[in-house]
Amino acid sequence: MSLAPTPLMAISRDEVLHVARLARLALTEEELERLTSELGKILDAVGVVAELELGEVPPTSHPLDLVNVWDEDVPRESLPIEDVLANAPAAENGLFRVPAWRQ
């Protein structure tokens, strides 16, 4: 079996634009072209993996052992509130403004 990626899945420019809008990203034409190509390659790689016979492979959450890589918890200067709220869709009194939600 050849593992060379073949175009199995594709993502359109419009789909990339849709995802960018959902993520509230403003993309230039150059970024849009680059991301469309890069995401297409990622989807192709996923498609290749999907073709593999993996019935006998045990499920795993991580291919390598996990080690604790946390840095020491050292207090440091916080970001200015203006920077924190700069990309928020709405802010009020120095806080994120979100729609009301009830269950």
Side-chain angles (χ1 to χ4, degrees), residues 1-8 41 43-49 51-52:
M1 168 185 253
S2 169
L3 294 182
T6 56
L8 301 170
K41 290 175 186 176
L43 291 174
D44 289 345
V46 170
V48 170
V49 172
E51 289 181 347
L52 299 175

Side-chain angles (χ1 to χ4, degrees), residues 14-96:
D14 288 341
E15 289 170 321
V16 174
L17 268 175
H18 177 70
V19 172
R21 283 188 198 109
L22 291 174
R24 299 181 189 269
L25 298 175
L27 300 177
T28 65
E29 283 299 319
E30 180 183 311
E31 290 169 326
L32 183 57
E33 288 178 30
R34 189 186 81 234
L35 285 173
T36 302
S37 172
E38 290 175 0
L39 289 171
K41 290 175 186 176
I42 291 169
L43 291 174
D44 289 345
V46 170
V48 170
V49 172
E51 289 181 347
L52 299 175
E53 293 293 330
L54 301 174
E56 300 296 319
V57 177
T60 182
S61 63
H62 297 83
L64 304 173
D65 291 334
L66 295 177
V67 294
N68 190 351
V69 293
W70 296 105
D71 286 338
E72 288 297 315
D73 191 10
V74 179
R76 63 177 183 226
E77 190 77 23
S78 295
L79 288 172
I81 194 70
E82 296 81 23
D83 291 349
V84 172
L85 298 174
N87 292 320
E92 186 176 299
N93 298 325
L95 303 171
F96 290 98

